[in-house]
């Protein structure tokens, strides 16, 4: 037999092949199956491949060629079985993976759904806000128009009355008419201020662009040149930062209000000295306006930025300037601070996003 | 010396304002027929008839126009009036007289051929300038 086996090279090869197959089968044993089960939780039909299987052994000399072939068939069968088993496990793994993906998908679907719902809600809220903003704008427009019409009629009527009375006017009538006129002009100014505020709120979404501090300062200075000359102000500028990204119109409004305030609320005891400077501080660009004017008490600080609130009455004003300044700065993501000492002066510091 | 004009159209729904405008015109020594309409549509009908000789309507030499009016406002009037003028080869000046100083309205008025944009109340100087220029 040995001899016979040895003389047939193909049979020899066969034996070798059998050995490899055997090894293959053995490596895919129940141990590996349980390992997969442990890791994946998938139940595998465990069938020991070696069980009841007469393994070919080289020392077994009694085997005939037919038996050998039987073994070969059995081995092939076992191999096919093993393959099948492996495929089943792979399929089960795939199935599990698919399940996992499905689960994840359903979770993300749910999340998506929630997100869509939230987005829809936000869009609706935004729409409602826009429409209520438009309503408000319309309301202010029409109410300011409707208020202005009768007041301008009143103004005209008073003029005609004065004209009609002519020389026959008595002093008491003259003073009454003058009071009516003062009331009318105050009323008109209030309406103007209100429209100013709504205008600025409308312009708020203006485009940001690089704006040169110096350009704006010069523009404002020439605009209020008369008042500056009148005050005899000495203005120093020290611009360490030359430009900032901001709405040009809004920055002009800010600088205009700060300068005009410094001129208006100067001290009668000394010539006005104004120091304008810009510099970097941390993440901010700071624009500073320092004066040696009237100043104010710490407890007056809060009132300073409120709408229609004024600290002084000796000069003209309506109390919207600093309110607008604060709103512009805060809406742009910056903030404004003020330090002041009564009868020494004030320093306004504007912190802008660099 | 009184300066005469044939016809001025005053298109405004505010009676008192119209009264003041008329008084001012007289005060400035202008005299002529002032036709008052309370909305754009009525004024437009008048002008259409005079352009087409459908009546004895005298065509105005000047239109003084308010913005906010019922039925047809000042801008709607201008839209139609410009077409009408073009089709009939006319060039009647329009002065807008309004209490609005809303930037929006001023910008809107610029889209049309408007001879002036004046805020109420009309002052003598302002009005004299307009009347002298257009009548």
């Amino acid at each position: 037999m040995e001899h016979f086996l040895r003389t047939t090279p193909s049979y020899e090869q066969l034996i070798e092949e059998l050995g490899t197959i055997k090894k293959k089968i053995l490596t895919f044993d129940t141990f590996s199956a349980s390992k997969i089960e442990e890791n994946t939780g998938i139940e595998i039909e465990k069938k020991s491949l070696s069980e009841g299987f007469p393994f070919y052994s080289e020392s077994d000399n009694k085997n005939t060629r037919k038996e050998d072939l039987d073994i070969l068939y059995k081995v092939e069968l076992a191999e096919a079985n093993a393959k099948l088993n492996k495929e089943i496990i792979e399929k089960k793994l795939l199935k599990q993976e698919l399940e996992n993906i499905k689960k994840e998908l359903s979770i993300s679907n749910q999340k998506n759904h929630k997100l869509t719902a939230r987005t829809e809600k936000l869009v609706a809220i935004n729409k409602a806000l826009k429409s209520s903003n438009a309503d408000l704008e319309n309301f202010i427009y029409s109410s300011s128009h409707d208020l202005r019409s009768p007041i301008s009629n009143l103004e005209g009527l008073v003029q005609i009355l004065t004209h009609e009375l002519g020389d026959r006017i008595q002093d008491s009538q003259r003073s009454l008419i003058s009071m009516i006129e003062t009331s009318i002009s105050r009323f008109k100014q209030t309406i103007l201020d209100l429209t100013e505020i709504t205008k600025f709120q409308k312009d708020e979404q203006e485009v940001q662009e690089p704006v040169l501090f110096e350009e704006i300062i010069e523009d404002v200075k020439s605009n209020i040149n008369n008042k500056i000359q009148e005050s005899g102000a000495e203005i120093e500028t020290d611009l360490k930062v030359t430009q900032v990204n901001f709405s040009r119109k809004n920055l002009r409004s800010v600088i205009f209000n700060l300068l005009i305030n410094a001129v208006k609320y100067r001290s009668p005891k000394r010539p006005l000295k104004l120091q304008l400077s810009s510099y970097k501080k941390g993440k901010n660009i700071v624009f500073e306006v320092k004066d040696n004017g009237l100043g104010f008490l710490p407890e007056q600080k809060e009132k300073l930025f409120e709408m229609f609130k004024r600290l002084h009455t000796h000069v003209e004003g309506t109390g919207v300037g600093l309110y607008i300044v604060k709103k512009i700065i805060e809406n742009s993501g910056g903030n404004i601070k003020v330090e002041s000492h009564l009868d020494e002066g004030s320093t306004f510091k504007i912190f802008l996003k660099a | 010396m009184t300066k005469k004009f044939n016809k001025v159209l005053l298109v405004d729904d505010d009676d008192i304002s119209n009264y003041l405008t008329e008084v001012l015109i007289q005060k400035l020594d202008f005299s002529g027929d002032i036709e008052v309409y309370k909305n754009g549509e009525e004024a437009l009908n008048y002008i259409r008839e005079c352009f087409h000789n459908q009546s004895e309507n005298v065509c105005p030499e000047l239109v003084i126009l308010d913005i906010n009016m019922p039925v047809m406002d000042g801008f709607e009037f201008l839209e139609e009036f410009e077409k009408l003028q073009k089709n009939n080869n006319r060039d009647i000046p329009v002065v807008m007289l309004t209490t609005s100083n809303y930037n929006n309205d001023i910008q809107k008025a610029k889209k049309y051929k408007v001879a002036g944009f004046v805020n109420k109340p009309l002052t003598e100087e302002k009005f004299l300038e307009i009347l002298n220029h257009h009548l």
Side-chain angles (χ1 to χ4, degrees), chain A residues 257-273:
Chain A
N257 276 299
L258 291 178
L259 291 199
I260 195 93
N261 275 359
V263 171
K264 271 189 191 169
Y265 305 111
R266 63 183 185 270
S267 167
K269 294 178 196 162
R270 51 188 172 267
L272 175 61
K273 242 182 128 177

Side-chain angles (χ1 to χ4, degrees), chain A residues 141 145 148 153 155 160 202, chain B residues 14 20 99 101 104-105 121:
Chain A
Y141 170 82
H145 174 269
R148 224 176 318 184
N153 283 346
E155 205 177 358
I160 293 178
K202 216 175 144 191
Chain B
D14 187 336
L20 290 169
T99 43
N101 62 359
N104 257 358
D105 286 340

Side-chain angles (χ1 to χ4, degrees), chain A residues 234-282:
Chain A
E234 188 188 309
I235 303 177
E236 280 174 21
T237 47
D238 175 21
L239 304 171
K240 291 196 174 69
V241 176
T242 54
Q243 66 174 37
V244 65
N245 243 6
F246 213 81
S247 143
R248 173 179 298 272
K249 207 171 149 195
N250 284 348
L251 189 66
R252 193 192 178 279
S253 178
V254 167
I255 293 179
F256 174 87
N257 276 299
L258 291 178
L259 291 199
I260 195 93
N261 275 359
V263 171
K264 271 189 191 169
Y265 305 111
R266 63 183 185 270
S267 167
K269 294 178 196 162
R270 51 188 172 267
L272 175 61
K273 242 182 128 177
L274 256 175
Q275 285 167 290
L276 313 178
S277 53
S278 67
Y279 51 90
K280 257 200 115 171
K281 193 174 183 189

Side-chain angles (χ1 to χ4, degrees), chain A residues 278-336:
Chain A
S278 67
Y279 51 90
K280 257 200 115 171
K281 193 174 183 189
K283 282 182 181 170
N284 290 311
I285 290 173
V286 185
F287 181 75
E288 198 179 293
V289 177
K290 189 175 186 211
D291 66 49
N292 62 346
L294 292 169
F296 53 85
L297 294 165
E299 56 264 35
Q300 292 177 304
K301 213 178 199 173
E302 280 306 303
K303 213 176 154 189
L304 200 66
F305 295 106
E306 280 175 37
M307 206 194 302
F308 296 123
K309 292 280 164 64
R310 305 186 60 220
L311 300 184
H312 304 275
T313 50
H314 68 284
V315 278
E316 282 288 304
T318 50
V320 291
L322 283 179
Y323 169 79
I324 288 177
V325 167
K326 190 172 188 243
K327 282 281 165 228
I328 288 176
I329 299 301
E330 285 179 355
N331 286 345
S332 78
N335 64 74
I336 181 164

Side-chain angles (χ1 to χ4, degrees), chain A residues 52-93:
Chain A
F53 179 75
F55 276 114
Y56 174 78
S57 131
E58 271 181 72
S59 60
D60 193 357
N61 291 326
K62 283 171 202 162
N63 285 335
T64 63
R65 190 176 175 197
K66 190 179 172 293
E67 282 168 333
D68 285 341
L69 284 175
D70 271 353
I71 290 168
L72 183 62
Y73 288 140
K74 280 181 182 167
V75 166
E76 272 177 355
L77 200 68
E79 193 195 10
N81 240 337
K83 243 184 178 172
L84 207 68
N85 238 342
K86 204 177 164 190
E87 268 170 28
I88 289 170
I89 290 166
E90 276 171 357
K91 260 184 199 159
K92 279 189 178 168
L93 274 171

